[in-house]
Amino acid sequence: MPDIDDSYSRQARINWPAVYPGENVVWRGKPSRPKYTTKDAKLTIGGIPVAVFITLWMSMALRILKKAGLVAWIFPTFGMIFVLQALYLLVGHYLRNWLEWKNVEYAVTSRRTIIRRGLWRVSELSRPHSDSPIELRASTDGLVGSVIFQGSKPSLNRFGQQISSMFNPQVKTGEFGLYALENPGNVYRIILAQTSATPKGAKEGV
């Protein structure tokens, strides 16, 4: 594998990522769009019981609404949160990931692993090498997979965080990952090589 992924030469023409003095980019690329679209496919299975529950809830709430009047609107209104969750778990995450793909970019430097992502608003996240254990999750043939930085589970104290965790599994786990990579083993070894080469005290903040 070349230092800069030839299939991603378009990215080489723009100034990303911004690096610190003495920091060099050793690899960059994008995920496979079909695989990125389906990276959260397990959510669909979890969405089935949610969909069954909310269907029963809403049918009961609408029957109460006919009898109890305006006050009973609280039940279907509250249920709409779970309707949206069920729709997202069943099909919504496929559309979201498909649309987000165009904004997803990965880079590995001599100090950090960097991710750009976002659907409407693009944000950048990074993890210094040696900041946390990494894990390679690849298909049986090793052609497609992910490189995951294991993080500590965040405490979801705020209401907004709890709502976000209903739609985004990474919010719950605290994972930081390069998902849907082609030949993920190569990227994994590049990160390990940079990790062993990073001198102590060279970590940069996120």
Side-chain angles (χ1 to χ4, degrees):
M1 170 178 273
D3 286 345
I4 301 299
D5 188 349
D6 290 336
S7 66
Y8 197 51
S9 58
R10 177 186 65 83
Q11 187 58 44
R13 293 198 296 267
I14 66 175
N15 187 26
W16 187 86
V19 296
Y20 296 101
E23 183 180 22
N24 301 310
V25 177
V26 296
W27 177 89
R28 56 188 157 200
K30 285 181 71 70
S32 160
R33 190 169 199 171
K35 296 298 182 182
Y36 192 83
T37 299
T38 59
K39 73 182 181 69
D40 299 320
K42 291 182 179 179
L43 292 180
T44 301
I45 299 174
I48 294 173
V50 177
V52 172
F53 166 77
I54 198 57
T55 298
L56 296 174
W57 172 280
M58 292 299 285
S59 61
M60 179 184 67
L62 292 174
R63 282 197 295 267
I64 294 174
L65 180 62
K66 292 179 181 179
K67 298 178 181 179
L70 191 61
V71 177
W73 273 103
I74 189 172
F75 293 101
T77 301
F78 178 73
M80 285 303 298
I81 296 175
F82 296 97
V83 170
L84 293 175
Q85 183 190 20
L87 289 173
Y88 181 82
L89 293 176
L90 291 174
V91 296
H93 60 88
Y94 296 109
L95 177 61
R96 183 193 186 282
N97 292 343
W98 186 81
L99 292 172
E100 184 185 44
W101 174 86
K102 64 182 175 65
N103 294 327
V104 179
E105 299 165 312
Y106 302 143
V108 178
T109 76
S110 54
R111 297 183 184 181
R112 300 173 293 152
T113 296
I114 310 170
I115 297 174
R116 283 184 77 193
R117 67 186 185 194
L119 186 57
W120 311 118
R121 185 177 180 181
V122 178
S123 61
E124 182 176 302
L125 303 171
S126 69
R127 288 291 185 276
H129 297 316
S130 300
D131 188 53
S132 60
I134 64 173
E135 176 187 354
L136 174 62
R137 300 177 187 172
S139 57
T140 305
D141 56 14
L143 295 179
V144 179
S146 303
V147 177
I148 307 297
F149 285 72
Q150 297 294 338
S152 57
K153 292 185 178 181
S155 55
L156 305 176
N157 297 324
R158 291 182 297 180
F159 179 73
Q161 292 175 320
Q162 295 173 1
I163 293 296
S164 179
S165 69
M166 295 169 63
F167 299 93
N168 188 343
Q170 283 77 53
V171 173
K172 286 184 178 180
T173 62
E175 283 185 358
F176 173 89
L178 282 66
Y179 298 102
L181 291 168
E182 295 180 343
N183 300 312
N186 292 339
V187 181
Y188 177 74
R189 286 187 287 273
I190 288 172
I191 294 174
L192 288 182
Q194 298 308 312
T195 298
S196 61
T198 301
K200 292 183 179 180
K203 290 184 180 181
E204 301 289 349
V206 176

